[in-house]
C-alpha cells in the first residue's frame, strides 16, 4: 500500500523566498529525520508565502501507512511559523 499526503500551507511572516525556504526546509528536515517518509516540496516554488509539500510512505498494511501520514500531518501543524490550508491523502 502506498500512501501519498499532500499539504498546502501559508507562511505569514515570510517576506522573501529565502524566508519561505527556511520554514519549508525546517518542515521537510523534521519529517525526514523523525518519520519513515519520502518528502519533497512539490508546489508554489515561486510564491513566497505559500508552499506545498508531499510525503509518501509504503507499507504492506494500510493502517500502518495511514498512522504514519497522520503523524506527519500532526507534525506539520505543530510548526508555529505556518498554517495548513489544505491536505489530501491518496492511496495507490
Amino acid at each position: 500500500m502506498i500512501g501519498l499526503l499532500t499539504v498546502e500551507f501559508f507562511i505569514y511572516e515570510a517576506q522573501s523566498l529565502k524566508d519561505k525556504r527556511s520554514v519549508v526546509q525546517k518542515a521537510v528536515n523534521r519529517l525526514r529525520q523523525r518519520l519513515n517518509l519520502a518528502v519533497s516540496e512539490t508546489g508554489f516554488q515561486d510564491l513566497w508565502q505559500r508552499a506545498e509539500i508531499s510525503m509518501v510512505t509504503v507499507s504492506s498494511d494500510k493502517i500502518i501507512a495511514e498512522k504514519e501520514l497522520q503523524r506527519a500531518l500532526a507534525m506539520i501543524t505543530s510548526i508555529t511559523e505556518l498554517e495548513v490550508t489544505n491536505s489530501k491523502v491518496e492511496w495507490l
Side-chain angles (χ1 to χ4, degrees):
M1 184 61 54
I2 300 171
L4 168 66
L5 172 63
T6 303
V7 179
E8 294 179 19
F9 51 89
F10 195 80
I11 306 166
Y12 288 107
E13 299 195 13
Q15 300 299 313
S16 66
L17 284 174
K18 187 175 181 179
D19 292 342
K20 173 194 170 181
R21 296 280 180 250
S22 171
V23 174
V24 170
Q25 282 302 316
K26 177 182 177 180
V28 168
N29 289 336
R30 187 178 291 180
L31 289 164
R32 284 182 180 158
Q33 290 172 355
R34 298 185 183 170
L35 300 174
N36 187 21
L37 299 171
V39 185
S40 181
E41 183 179 3
T42 55
F44 307 115
Q45 279 96 353
D46 56 342
L47 299 177
W48 48 273
Q49 285 189 316
R50 290 188 70 194
E52 177 185 87
I53 58 175
S54 296
M55 293 137 275
V56 176
T57 188
V58 178
S59 176
S60 59
D61 187 3
K62 183 178 180 180
I63 294 171
I64 293 171
E66 191 168 6
K67 285 181 183 179
E68 194 78 5
L69 294 177
Q70 289 300 323
R71 279 190 272 165
L73 184 58
M75 191 175 291
I76 291 169
T77 57
S78 72
I79 298 172
T80 58
E81 294 93 353
L82 58 88
E83 179 184 338
V84 174
T85 57
N86 191 20
S87 64
K88 177 175 64 171
V89 175
E90 296 178 50
W91 298 101
L92 309 169

